Amino acid sequence: MEIGLDQILKEPHASLLRGKRLGLVTNSSSFDNRYKSSVLCLHDHYDLRVLYAPEHGLDGSAQAGKMIPESRDPHTQIPIRSLYQGEHTRLDPSLFADIDLLVFDMQDVGLRFYTYTATLEQLMHGGVPLLVLDRPNPLGGIVVEGPILDAEHASFVGLAGLAVRYGLTIGELALFLNGERAIGCDLQVVPLQGWRRTQRWEDLKRPWIMTSPAIAHCSAIELYAGFCLLEGTNLSEGRGTSAPFELFGAPFIDAYQLSLEVGKLNLAGVRFTPITFVPSTGKFQGQACHGLYAHVIDSGHFRPFSTALSVLSLLWDLYPEHLSFNASFTRLAGFSEQAIARANLSATLERIEEEARTFEYIKRSYERYA
């Protein structure tokens, strides 16, 4: 399989880059098949003028929500401009005044929560031609899950019109955004060669290079698809441990009781074991948290978003005086916590399944791979 970056020296793609002042949106997770970074790939062969860094910075080390100052790449001395402006919805056009073509090469995770998707949409409004170097969706291109976010709940961690797990590559997503939103971006995509929609990351036999500080392991992505919702609660989602989103807990939880009760839910494709952990940062820093570690045993049947809702609903029943929700839950989920109260959970799960089917139909016209 070849990703878009592997093909930039071949025609017809090379002619798109040759003779132009280039800007590159990337970070430290972007390498080609020879383990050469996207920065060096373009710098060594084309006129690369500016590097643009999304959330977490060019080196991918900054924590979520941290603003990144402008700097220079220590290896090439090319200036680095930060695209991460928090919740701002428009980028200053002057950021792109000295380039002719913007190249976007970012490894995405295929989930609405990830802010690289919002950055992509912002760039499409920037008034500069955009070339997206396609990369595989680590979760494959078949399964869609979660509700379609409405405009009322749209934010930088959630683009309106997207399901949570949208089943498109980053190149297909760009085509979807340009088409569904009628943006009118001068957009081209260097497609993947040899990728099939049924392929997940583990099928590709490629190493995973962390795309952000909390997604260090490929195994975390599938669980992040649901347990990112815990960021909208007072539960630790595992930040400050070696396995964010793979484990969760709080000081007030009885891990063994919770393990027994979750087991009774018969959740498809996943098992949970009790665990105690002490986060080094984030919620409950330095405190012992008791909770569960998730083990995906059947990805074909596991539905992380619905699973996380069911677990949260159970926790609300077990710890009504301890569990609390904040505004981030609504932004991430697209609905308030009342939708997962015991009396409402079944209807909510049915609704999100219906919306997932709707999105699955919509996205088909933007699919470029079988």
Side-chain angles (χ1 to χ4, degrees):
M1 185 201 73
E2 288 191 339
I3 59 174
L5 183 61
D6 295 325
Q7 303 173 67
I8 61 170
L9 299 182
K10 304 175 184 179
E11 295 296 350
H13 314 302
S15 61
L16 300 175
L17 300 163
R18 195 180 300 116
K20 294 185 174 69
R21 299 172 300 168
L22 303 178
L24 174 63
V25 183
T26 192
N27 70 4
S28 57
S29 69
S30 297
F31 282 74
D32 69 4
N33 282 343
R34 299 166 299 163
Y35 299 93
K36 187 175 183 179
S37 74
S38 57
V39 174
L40 291 180
C41 284
L42 269 75
H43 173 263
D44 289 352
H45 298 282
Y46 298 106
D47 185 11
L48 181 59
R49 298 289 184 93
V50 185
L51 299 173
Y52 295 93
E55 186 181 16
H56 307 297
L58 191 72
D59 62 7
S61 66
Q63 293 300 314
K66 183 179 179 181
M67 305 298 283
I68 309 295
E70 293 193 0
S71 60
R72 285 187 177 271
D73 176 56
H75 304 292
T76 64
Q77 295 305 307
I78 296 174
I80 303 171
R81 297 173 185 167
S82 177
L83 297 174
Y84 182 61
Q85 308 294 330
E87 289 292 320
H88 294 188
T89 57
R90 288 287 183 269
L91 294 171
D92 189 338
S94 66
L95 286 170
F96 315 110
D98 49 355
I99 65 169
D100 304 310
L101 176 67
L102 189 59
V103 181
F104 186 94
D105 185 38
M106 296 289 303
Q107 180 58 60
D108 186 40
V109 298
L111 299 169
R112 189 178 71 207
F113 310 132
Y114 226 48
T115 62
Y116 301 160
T117 60
T119 295
L120 174 61
E121 191 208 22
Q122 287 180 325
L123 295 171
M124 295 175 74
H125 288 280
V128 61
L130 180 65
L131 179 67
V132 176
L133 307 184
D134 212 358
R135 288 177 173 268
N137 185 325
L139 297 175
I142 301 295
V143 177
V144 172
E145 190 182 5
I148 300 173
L149 194 67
D150 57 36
E152 177 186 355
H153 295 110
S155 72
F156 202 64
V157 294
L159 290 180
L162 274 187
V164 171
R165 179 176 175 179
Y166 46 78
L168 297 167
T169 67
I170 194 70
E172 291 174 329
L173 177 64
L175 296 170
F176 168 86
L177 294 172
N178 209 30
E180 292 298 303
R181 299 173 186 272
I183 295 174
C185 174
D186 182 354
L187 170 69
Q188 296 188 73
V189 177
V190 178
L192 299 167
Q193 296 294 331
W195 183 77
R196 301 186 304 276
R197 307 204 74 77
T198 55
Q199 290 182 301
R200 296 161 55 87
W201 194 267
E202 57 266 28
D203 300 318
L204 304 177
K205 309 304 180 186
R206 295 173 64 90
W208 179 257
I209 302 171
M210 62 189 338
T211 51
S212 60
I215 307 293
H217 316 290
C218 181
S219 58
I221 300 173
E222 194 165 22
L223 291 159
Y224 176 72
F227 289 95
C228 180
L229 294 174
L230 271 62
E231 295 189 323
T233 73
N234 63 336
L235 299 171
S236 169
E237 66 284 347
R239 290 187 185 272
T241 74
S242 61
F245 309 109
E246 298 177 61
L247 53 79
F248 65 90
F252 57 79
I253 289 176
D254 181 326
Y256 289 93
Q257 180 199 16
L258 181 59
S259 177
L260 291 172
E261 294 299 324
V262 169
K264 296 175 184 177
L265 297 178
N266 294 315
L267 297 167
V270 65
R271 298 292 182 268
F272 294 90
T273 52
I275 193 169
T276 293
F277 59 93
V278 180
S280 61
T281 60
K283 302 171 191 172
F284 307 116
Q285 180 179 352
Q287 299 181 54
C289 293
H290 315 290
L292 300 179
Y293 201 114
H295 310 274
V296 179
I297 60 171
D298 183 351
S299 291
H301 291 92
F302 177 49
R303 295 295 179 264
F305 190 79
S306 298
T307 294
L309 294 180
S310 297
V311 171
L312 276 171
S313 182
L314 174 63
L315 281 162
W316 202 1
D317 269 354
L318 294 174
Y319 303 101
E321 296 182 0
H322 293 89
L323 179 64
S324 63
F325 297 82
N326 58 51
S328 290
F329 180 85
T330 300
R331 292 204 313 162
L332 292 166
F335 46 77
S336 76
E337 64 271 20
Q338 293 303 321
I340 64 168
R342 177 188 292 182
N344 302 326
L345 180 63
S346 293
T348 298
L349 294 177
E350 289 178 9
R351 177 173 64 84
I352 65 175
E353 286 184 12
E354 182 178 340
E355 291 190 21
R357 287 192 293 270
T358 298
F359 188 83
E360 185 177 354
Y361 174 79
I362 294 170
K363 82 181 182 82
R364 286 176 188 164
S365 61
Y366 299 98
E367 293 178 353
R368 295 297 180 266
Y369 312 99

